Amino acid sequence: MELLAGADAAADTEPSAIVSLFWIALVAVAAPLLARALRGFVPDVVILLVAGMALGPHALGWANADGGVDLIEELGLGMLFLLAGYELDPALLRGRSGRVASAVWLAGLVFAFALVTLVGPNESITGHVAVAIAMTSTALGTLLPIVKQAGLLDTPLGRAVLAHGAVGELGPIVAMSVLLSSRDVGAAVIVLVLFVVAALLVGLVPLRLFGRVPDLGAALARMDGGTSQLPVRGAILLLLVLMVVAERFDLDVVLGAFAAGMVLRRLIAAGHPRVDEQLETIGYGLLIPVFFVVSGMGIDPAAVAAEPVLWVSFVLAIAVARGLPVWLSERFVQHGQNLAAPRERAQLALYAATGLPIIVAVTQVAVSTGLMSGATASVLVAAGAATVLVFPLCARLLGGPSGERAGSAG
């Protein structure tokens, strides 16, 4: 009886889902205000992660992911990568510059794997692959607001950031599906191709409907507001359909979410009602902050504090494995749109080495499948947060007065 009473008392001390969501909502409101007070030098995504780490079970214990919070977190993950897929312009992957960016990413992945195998933590070979994938990602969705604020989007540097960022998001997502699968590589590739075919068919259905029913687009536009919000509901359905398809193919749901974003971009490009602003409102207003705060709850500050050398090593390794190949390619590989100024090449390398969302996604997959220890995952996510904090700031400082103006605007 005393044991049961003790268990009940312990359960009573666990925060409920509504209490956890209260703290998450409070952090979500405070993060952009604090980021603005710091003149944009500390991105709000870093604040969300740190706050989640402080609130979570490894520290204060005021919030957790139980009671349905984890479901909102998974929807936030899906929405984050849907918006990332939507931002990906397929034209960036075509042409010589796109092929060079893809080759650079692949070379960086091989280099990162060799580096992790030689000096990295004592994980399995597949665990080393997971770390290498995380180290070679680029947080394009995080970089876009920074590049826009700096006025670089329509410059050669901005276009180079977009090209390498597109590959730095798509490449790791595909690599996760092939290299972190329980299947052998050949079977994983076949399953991936089947998923791509399924995603194309899912996207083809609404396109055919719009083509054969001319009034359908106008009907959607009429139901774009009020209590209907039909285009938004359709976009959410598209997201969930492709996440379910990815899950049925035993692939990570991140791939389904990313594919949904690419399909959505094509639908909107076809002249149908724009829903991207409304999805950003839902995503960045609720779901995505929950994802980052809950991800922060998974970081064990004691594990990070116990391995400061490993944390710094991960940050430096990300800079070397992702940033250095990008810098070398701009300096020595001619693709017709090379950046001539040494300062811009250094800025591009720093921007390309900025990664966090895919690092979080890769570590979640690796920990859940036993490929990576929770302590290593905590240190790696903390290193990813450091890249978001430090690398864009260094790039803006290298940019001179324009970077200073962007900082004051943020």
Side-chain angles (χ1 to χ4, degrees), residues 190-232:
I190 293 173
V191 170
L192 180 62
V193 171
L194 292 174
F195 169 79
V196 171
V197 172
L200 290 173
L201 292 174
V202 169
L204 188 63
V205 171
L207 280 176
R208 286 293 179 90
L209 284 175
F210 283 124
R212 296 187 176 185
V213 186
D215 294 335
L216 184 57
L220 283 174
R222 287 193 298 269
M223 290 184 281
D224 191 20
T227 58
S228 299
Q229 300 291 339
L230 189 57
V232 175

Side-chain angles (χ1 to χ4, degrees), residues 55-102:
L55 291 171
H58 296 295
L60 296 174
W62 294 354
N64 58 41
D66 297 336
V69 177
D70 53 347
L71 176 59
I72 302 175
E73 182 256 352
E74 186 162 10
L75 288 174
L77 173 69
M79 185 62 73
L80 178 67
F81 282 96
L82 176 138
L83 293 173
Y86 175 80
E87 294 288 352
L88 177 60
D89 184 356
L92 294 172
L93 305 178
R94 296 192 290 266
R96 181 165 173 76
S97 60
R99 292 194 296 271
V100 168
S102 300

Side-chain angles (χ1 to χ4, degrees), residues 43-405:
D44 61 349
V45 65
V46 175
I47 298 172
L48 292 171
L49 275 174
V50 172
M53 183 173 61
L55 291 171
H58 296 295
L60 296 174
W62 294 354
N64 58 41
D66 297 336
V69 177
D70 53 347
L71 176 59
I72 302 175
E73 182 256 352
E74 186 162 10
L75 288 174
L77 173 69
M79 185 62 73
L80 178 67
F81 282 96
L82 176 138
L83 293 173
Y86 175 80
E87 294 288 352
L88 177 60
D89 184 356
L92 294 172
L93 305 178
R94 296 192 290 266
R96 181 165 173 76
S97 60
R99 292 194 296 271
V100 168
S102 300
V104 167
W105 176 80
L106 189 58
L109 179 64
V110 174
F111 175 60
F113 174 73
L115 186 65
V116 172
T117 302
L118 289 174
V119 300
N122 187 23
E123 307 281 356
S124 65
I125 294 297
T126 313
H128 290 163
V129 171
V131 175
I133 292 171
M135 286 169 51
T136 53
S137 65
T138 300
L140 181 58
T142 305
L143 286 175
L144 273 174
I146 297 173
V147 174
K148 286 179 181 178
Q149 288 176 3
L152 299 174
L153 199 57
D154 295 323
T155 66
L157 173 59
R159 289 191 289 272
V161 170
L162 290 178
H164 285 282
V167 174
E169 281 203 320
L170 182 59
I173 290 173
V174 173
M176 284 173 59
S177 302
V178 174
L179 301 178
L180 301 186
S181 169
S182 57
R183 309 179 181 92
D184 62 76
V185 174
V189 170
I190 293 173
V191 170
L192 180 62
V193 171
L194 292 174
F195 169 79
V196 171
V197 172
L200 290 173
L201 292 174
V202 169
L204 188 63
V205 171
L207 280 176
R208 286 293 179 90
L209 284 175
F210 283 124
R212 296 187 176 185
V213 186
D215 294 335
L216 184 57
L220 283 174
R222 287 193 298 269
M223 290 184 281
D224 191 20
T227 58
S228 299
Q229 300 291 339
L230 189 57
V232 175
R233 296 184 189 187
I236 298 294
L237 176 61
L238 173 66
L239 169 64
L240 291 173
V241 164
L242 287 178
M243 288 177 72
V244 167
V245 171
E247 187 179 72
R248 292 302 182 189
F249 277 98
D250 198 22
L251 299 168
D252 194 84
V253 294
V254 166
L255 180 64
F258 198 84
M262 297 181 70
V263 171
L264 181 64
R265 181 187 181 92
R266 187 176 178 188
L267 291 176
I268 290 178
H272 304 302
R274 296 186 59 84
V275 296
D276 51 327
E277 294 90 351
Q278 295 160 300
L279 290 174
E280 285 184 353
T281 300
I282 297 171
Y284 291 108
L286 171 64
L287 299 176
I288 294 173
V290 173
F291 165 70
F292 280 115
V293 175
V294 173
S295 298
M297 292 179 193
I299 301 175
D300 184 354
V304 178
E307 297 282 0
V309 175
L310 181 61
W311 175 58
V312 174
S313 299
F314 271 142
V315 176
L316 295 176
I318 291 170
V320 172
R322 180 63 177 143
L324 182 59
V326 170
W327 183 88
L328 289 172
S329 71
E330 284 299 309
R331 178 66 179 83
F332 297 107
V333 180
Q334 295 300 316
H335 55 75
Q337 300 179 20
N338 297 71
L339 300 174
R343 184 172 63 181
E344 288 189 332
R345 291 196 292 267
Q347 286 179 279
L348 174 61
L350 288 165
Y351 282 132
T354 301
L356 181 61
I358 289 178
I359 293 177
V360 173
V362 169
T363 53
Q364 286 181 349
V365 171
V367 170
S368 66
T369 55
L371 297 175
M372 184 184 298
S373 67
T376 300
S378 293
V379 177
L380 187 52
V381 172
T387 67
V388 174
L389 177 62
V390 175
F391 292 171
L393 174 59
C394 292
R396 287 163 62 181
L397 294 176
L398 279 175
S402 62
E404 294 172 8
R405 287 194 296 272

